[in-house]
Every structure is written in structure tokens, then in C-alpha cells.
Amino acid sequence: MKNIRNFCIIAHIDHGKSTLADRMLEYTHTIQITEGQMLDDMELERERGITIKSHAIQMEYEHGGETFVLNLIDTPGHVDFSYEVSRSIAACEGAVLVVDASQGVQAQTISNLYMAIEHDLEIIPVINKCDMPSANPDAVEDEIVDLLGCKREEIIRCSAKTGEGVLDILDAVVERIPCPVGDENAPLQCLIFDSVFNSFRGIIAYFKVVNGVIHTGDKVKFFNTGKEYDADEVGILKMDMIPRKELRTGDVGYIISGIKTSTEVKVGDTITHTARPCAEAISGFEESKPMVFAGVYPIEAEDYEDLRASLEKLQLNDASLTFTPESSVALGFGFRCGFLGLLHMEIVQERLDREFDMAVITTVPNVSYNVYDKQGHMTEVHNPGGMPDPTLIDHIEEPYIRASIITATDYIGPIMTLCLGKRGELVKQEYISGNRVEIYYNLPLGEIVIDFYDKLKSISKGYASFDYHPAGYRPSRLIKLDILLNGEPVDALSTLTHVDNAYDLGRRMCEKLKDLIPRQQFDIAIQAAIGGKIIARETVKQVRKDVTAKCYGGDVSRKRKLLEKQKRGKKRMKQIGNVEVPQKAFLAVLKLD
């Protein structure tokens, strides 16, 4: 056990974690690097150049005449996948903190670092991309010393691209990170930190052995669900799974036990022996809290059960996704899904399409509100359709977040304007170094959920980084804005919004929908309404046939008779005709500017 080291790599998005992980695998002769980002094996990850899933892999490294086993977990950097990071940290004793030499300390660097410190991990600070012409390692070193309070000589400079300094990092991992602590003779306790679905072998759970020893063929049970299984195969994770006879305390590996139903494996659960169970489960990490909610509906109604199966399989691989069944008047049966952010929602939608071949409609994303009635009872409302009658509501509370934005001083003005436009309150601002400043804001989550991140990136030319934490609920003046088509409300387009934004939003939505809804043979009235009051209206003009074309000369009453007949036909058509809202319209509402 003293020769095992479990560590993860944490950093802000695009600071070179995955490239560094590849370099480590190459230098420990674990794999042959044939193309960039060997661990990011998902097609989406390759396309976008981001890490979406944490990846665990085992390496062997010679140091001082001994062979050490290094279990590395490469983690994502984007704020939407921070739950992946928190689970990886729970399975490690140390972390390599990577900072880009040209960009310095960013918002995610700080939030991931705090997460690691809370779990008492040993931190190894590393400055990456030192070979770049724009690199300024001395200034970045100052920032790291301020942030961590470590000594300068503890910071390792490297370049994952050229491989310089990578061996120093491996030596530091062996020398500085403590070996796992645990008792091999105690009852078995393994912490599940990830799982994946395999269509031939069932569900494969990845775990870390905290106490005890697990052998192939043991009878095991999952502590929280209480279900019992045979450990058909246990082993370690290299690029492929390698079976082993046994895994001892401190090892990280996988278990295959022929589990078919996805609800039986919970990330954070404890595996123990049936014959000699442990007394209590390992307290690992809390459940993830979804921030953004959206309805996901199959385009064909008969695909509902397939969609449920696809979401369950996806949830195994992405524990931060939550879903509950719901139905909508316009879209039929579907699911109300909770995501950690907009990028997470987009990725889930893409993965459903690519991995499970499910075509889905996603409604406008929103957050959950606490609605209090006159008697003081509180109900949690996830979508505008669930809002009680306005006459019964006493007040509504909406979720707030504490946002921290790190940026260059040149962009403070535009960023403050953006935050104030989103009803933000400035808490404080601190100068980190030279021309970099950290601004703290309290913002309503509903305002930042749709386009805040994109706008922040564009006004700061990509230099601002953003991170947030939930900060409770506050009372707010919110109202429900309905969109009516020919007098019929479309519940998938209705939103909850602040009183001050309602008129403007209603007008812009009507204008946008006028361009997107195809013309019919009757006028379509698009209206925005608050309660019974119409606040904006646009009309999609009808497509008309010229019925009087055949009348030349003669009495005007002939023309009038034909026009009256057409008018009656149009009226009848309007009563039975229905208006199809294209999927483009749901998405366009998100990008109103």
C-alpha cells in the first residue's frame, strides 16, 4: 500500500490538463500516444476540445529503485461539470493544480482548489505552457504563492506539449502525495465514484478500496440499495480494463457483477461483503444540485419509453443529470430534466442524439422557484405551467447565486453594466495582481441561466472567467408571461420573468415568432399576455388565393359574393386549423438578442 499514489489533475478549462495527462502516460510507458488527448475518447470531447467526463487510469513509475503505482484521474475544467471534479477529488489523496503560464489563475482554478482543500488533499502547483511566446511564468508564480501560500521552489514549471518538466511532476507525486490510509484486515469498504453501461456486460462500477480486500467471485452487497451480487470480475483501469484476482486497500479499479437495471448503482454508494459487512457507509460527497431545468420530449410520442431508457443509461455515466416524468398539453409526455448549466444541457442533448439516436425537443430552460400562498404554505414550482392562480399567491422567492468573475481591469466597466442589467448587486472587488481583478456579485440564477456566459465571454474578448455557488432564495416580483397563438396558450413557450422585463420580453418574443412561424391560409395572431392582459401582438398574414381573378367586367355583386364565400371558408378553417410551432422557435427564444 505504501507504493500507491491516488491523484487527480485539476485546472480551469483549457489550461492543458488532458495534454499533461497524455504526457504522463507516455513517460510511464503506459500507452503509445498516437493522437492528441488519448483520455478524451468521446467524439464530442474531441470535437469541442473539452473534457466532459473524468477518466481514471493506472500507471507504473520507477522512482529510487522502487516501482510505484499511480492512479490518475483527469477531470473536466468547465463550471458545468464541477460535480465530476468533486467526485474525483473524493477518491484521491492529492491533486496536481495546473495553471496556464499565459493566462494565470482563473475562476475555476480557485473553485477547484477550494474543493480539494476541503478534502485535505496535498496540492502540487504546476505552471504549464512555459514554452509559449506569451508565457509569463514569474507573474503567475506570484499569483500561485498568494493563492496557496506555498514556497516558490515547490512550484514546478513544465510544458505538456514538449514534455519538459513532466518527470519532475511524477517525482513530486511520489514524494509529496501521501499513500492511502486504510486497514486491509477491516471489513470491506469501497467507494463508487463512477459507472458506465456496457450492452454486453451490464453496468460496470468504478471504485476505490478504502478498507479491506476484494477478490473475484466474492459475494458483495451495495450498502445504500441493500442489493447483493457476485463479483464476476474485478480489475484495474488502464486504457482497457485489466482483470485481477484481488484488489487491496488503496487500489482503484472496476467491478462487473451483471447488474442490468441502472437504478441499482448509485454514485457515492459503498460496496461491502455480504458475509462480513461494514458497519456504516463511507461519507463521500453530497448529491449534485441541478441549477437549470428544462423539459425534454420525444418528437414521436411512441418513443417515450425509449427516451426513459436512454436517460437512465446516460445518468449512469453522468451522475449530475436528474429527471422526473412530466406532461405538457402541446408536447405530450416527456421528462423534466435538471442540469448543472446550459453547456451541460447542450451536451446531454447531443449525447442523446449521438449515442442513443433519440431526437428530442427541449423547452426553454428555467430555474425552480418557491411560491408562498396566503396561508403561508410553500410549493416548489419548476415550470410556469405549475404556477397557481395569481390571486392565491402571497409572494415568490427565486434562487440567487454568488458569482465570482476574474478579468483584466480594461473590461470592468462593460462587465459591471452586464451584471447590473441582470439585476446583480456588487458585493466586493479585489485586485489579485497587476491588472487582474476579481469581482463578486449576487445575481438571480434565472437571469444568468440563458445567455450570461456567452455575453460575458464576448464583452471581455474571452478574458473573463466565471464561477458561481448557490446563495439561497430571496423574495422577488415575478410574473408569468404567456404566449398565445390564435388565443390558445402554448405552455412550452411561457416563462416566469421579473415585472420590469416583462413588456420588453413579450414584445421581442412576438416579433421573433412572427419570423419563424410558417404562414397558413388564415391569419395567426401571436400575443404576449400577463394574466388576462395582452401586452404585445404580432400577426402572421394569411396566404390568399385571388378568387376574383375570373371576374372581368359585370356587376360588382359577383365579386362581393365570391369574397364573402372565401371569408366564410377562412373563418371555418381558422376554427379547425392548428398552428405547428417549429423546434427552431423554442431555441430562438433563448437567443433573443
Side-chain angles (χ1 to χ4, degrees):
M1 200 164 79
K2 67 177 183 15
N3 285 13
I4 297 176
R5 302 285 181 271
N6 298 323
F7 71 103
C8 58
I9 303 184
I10 53 176
H12 186 76
I13 189 166
D14 206 23
H15 278 202
K17 297 178 295 299
S18 300
T19 316
L20 180 62
D22 281 356
R23 241 356 113 241
M24 288 181 171
L25 295 176
E26 189 180 23
Y27 281 24
T28 53
H29 310 295
T30 308
I31 53 170
Q32 200 65 42
I33 302 284
T34 49
E35 53 186 323
Q37 263 75 23
M38 295 292 286
L39 285 181
D40 290 354
D41 50 6
M42 209 188 296
E43 194 184 344
L44 261 175
E45 293 181 314
R46 295 267 170 97
E47 267 175 37
R48 292 175 178 237
I50 56 175
T51 304
I52 294 169
K53 280 292 303 161
S54 296
H55 299 276
I57 191 161
Q58 191 178 95
M59 312 179 282
E60 285 173 3
Y61 181 58
E62 294 281 337
H63 178 79
E66 289 185 80
T67 304
F68 287 86
V69 172
L70 310 182
N71 290 311
L72 153 74
I73 303 180
D74 176 31
T75 64
H78 195 281
V79 64
D80 281 12
F81 305 113
S82 53
Y83 189 57
E84 288 282 327
V85 184
S86 73
R87 298 194 339 242
S88 308
I89 283 174
C92 293
E93 280 85 35
V96 174
L97 179 75
V98 180
V99 183
D100 188 323
S102 53
Q103 294 182 37
V105 172
Q106 304 272 303
Q108 239 50 51
T109 318
I110 296 177
S111 84
N112 288 346
L113 171 72
Y114 287 161
M115 222 187 288
I117 289 174
E118 272 170 34
H119 283 79
D120 291 335
L121 298 199
E122 179 64 42
I123 311 285
I124 299 176
V126 169
I127 300 178
N128 191 17
K129 305 193 185 179
C130 287
D131 60 321
M132 284 176 70
S134 57
N136 186 355
D138 296 335
V140 176
E141 231 174 51
D142 295 339
E143 287 177 25
I144 294 176
V145 169
D146 286 348
L147 181 66
L148 277 175
C150 61
K151 299 189 181 71
R152 275 181 186 283
E153 54 272 17
E154 288 176 13
I155 302 170
I156 302 169
R157 295 188 184 190
C158 81
S159 160
K161 199 169 167 187
T162 61
E164 160 208 348
V166 174
L167 290 172
D168 298 342
I169 299 173
L170 288 167
D171 290 340
V173 166
V174 170
E175 288 159 13
R176 295 191 212 168
I177 292 177
C179 61
V181 255
D183 180 4
E184 288 199 351
N185 302 317
L188 178 71
Q189 276 184 313
C190 307
L191 175 72
I192 300 179
F193 63 87
D194 206 355
S195 57
V196 55
F197 183 80
N198 181 312
S199 43
F200 301 108
R201 315 203 60 181
I203 293 157
I204 302 168
Y206 298 161
F207 62 87
K208 174 192 174 185
V209 187
V210 180
N211 286 314
V213 181
I214 182 168
H215 301 83
T216 304
D218 280 355
K219 275 201 99 52
V220 294
K221 81 166 183 183
F222 285 31
F223 205 89
N224 290 346
T225 57
K227 299 234 191 273
E228 301 185 359
Y229 308 99
D230 289 319
D232 299 336
E233 185 183 305
V234 296
I236 56 165
L237 298 155
K238 294 261 176 129
M239 271 321 260
D240 300 312
M241 296 184 226
I242 298 171
R244 287 277 188 269
K245 286 271 189 296
E246 59 172 29
L247 291 179
R248 310 187 80 80
T249 304
D251 282 332
V252 172
Y254 69 91
I255 177 169
I256 300 175
S257 47
I259 306 171
K260 291 285 182 283
T261 37
S262 41
T263 46
E264 292 176 21
V265 178
K266 289 268 185 292
V267 162
D269 201 349
T270 304
I271 305 175
T272 186
H273 280 134
T274 14
R276 189 175 163 223
C278 56
E280 54 182 33
I282 305 163
S283 60
F285 29 79
E286 61 287 343
E287 291 283 306
S288 70
K289 293 184 189 68
M291 291 289 200
V292 179
F293 295 89
V296 174
Y297 295 87
I299 287 177
E300 301 296 331
E302 61 265 22
D303 292 342
Y304 175 72
E305 281 304 325
D306 293 348
L307 179 60
R308 180 197 291 275
S310 305
L311 282 169
E312 282 178 355
K313 286 174 190 170
L314 195 56
Q315 193 180 31
L316 274 178
N317 200 243
D318 181 354
S320 51
L321 171 69
T322 57
F323 63 92
T324 49
E326 72 163 0
S327 62
S328 135
V329 183
L331 300 166
F333 289 102
F335 295 93
R336 171 132 207 98
C337 297
F339 308 97
L340 296 185
L342 271 197
L343 176 70
H344 186 209
M345 171 175 146
E346 205 180 310
I347 295 289
V348 167
Q349 213 175 332
E350 280 269 316
R351 287 183 70 181
L352 280 172
D353 183 26
R354 291 186 187 196
E355 295 173 27
F356 304 100
D357 214 15
M358 290 296 314
V360 293
I361 289 178
T362 312
T363 63
V364 180
N366 50 32
V367 297
S368 58
Y369 298 94
N370 291 343
V371 180
Y372 290 85
D373 59 16
K374 298 274 168 58
Q375 282 77 39
H377 299 307
M378 189 271 281
T379 43
E380 200 173 278
V381 172
H382 291 300
N383 58 350
M387 282 287 276
D389 192 88
T391 52
L392 305 173
I393 297 173
D394 181 52
H395 68 280
I396 303 175
E397 289 185 346
E398 66 174 332
Y400 265 70
I401 55 155
R402 164 68 63 91
S404 106
I405 300 167
I406 297 180
T407 179
T409 43
D410 318 357
Y411 307 114
I412 291 182
I415 286 174
M416 285 188 162
T417 314
L418 172 69
C419 293
L420 291 171
K422 299 282 186 191
R423 300 190 281 131
E425 301 165 6
L426 180 65
V427 181
K428 61 174 178 180
Q429 65 185 58
E430 293 173 349
Y431 283 85
I432 303 175
S433 68
N435 68 335
R436 309 247 324 289
V437 63
E438 184 167 12
I439 313 172
Y440 293 94
Y441 264 95
N442 283 337
L443 286 156
L445 182 60
E447 292 279 345
I448 68 149
V449 102
I450 291 177
D451 54 0
F452 181 80
Y453 194 66
D454 297 346
K455 282 185 177 169
L456 179 70
K457 282 291 181 199
S458 56
I459 60 176
S460 64
K461 300 190 172 59
Y463 278 107
S465 62
F466 171 68
D467 180 45
Y468 59 83
H469 300 284
Y473 283 75
R474 296 189 192 182
S476 186
R477 292 171 57 219
L478 296 168
I479 45 172
K480 181 181 171 189
L481 178 72
D482 285 312
I483 298 292
L484 314 175
L485 295 181
N486 277 347
E488 291 292 317
V490 182
D491 60 347
L493 286 173
S494 57
T495 50
L496 283 173
T497 179
H498 195 262
V499 175
D500 302 345
N501 305 342
Y503 282 84
D504 184 40
L505 181 68
R507 202 187 67 250
R508 290 194 337 223
M509 279 172 86
C510 288
E511 286 167 5
K512 193 80 177 184
L513 288 169
K514 184 187 174 184
D515 299 338
L516 290 166
I517 290 178
R519 289 171 69 186
Q520 307 274 3
Q521 296 198 335
F522 50 89
D523 278 354
I524 302 171
I526 303 169
Q527 295 166 312
I530 298 171
K533 185 181 175 189
I534 304 293
I535 57 169
R537 169 176 172 140
E538 293 286 339
T539 309
V540 179
K541 292 311 267 181
Q542 59 190 2
V543 185
R544 288 191 57 183
K545 177 186 173 189
D546 188 0
V547 287
T548 58
K550 63 183 181 221
C551 299
Y552 48 93
D555 190 30
V556 72
S557 59
R558 285 180 60 205
K559 286 188 179 179
R560 198 163 288 147
K561 190 174 152 196
L562 287 166
L563 287 170
E564 284 297 325
K565 189 179 173 190
Q566 184 189 32
K567 197 172 170 183
R568 284 198 302 276
K570 294 271 185 202
K571 192 175 174 184
R572 205 163 54 245
M573 193 184 278
K574 187 170 181 173
Q575 283 167 351
I576 60 164
N578 63 343
V579 186
E580 287 290 316
V581 183
Q583 166 71 9
K584 278 193 311 208
F586 294 113
L587 299 174
V589 175
L590 310 185
K591 303 189 171 72
L592 274 174
D593 293 347

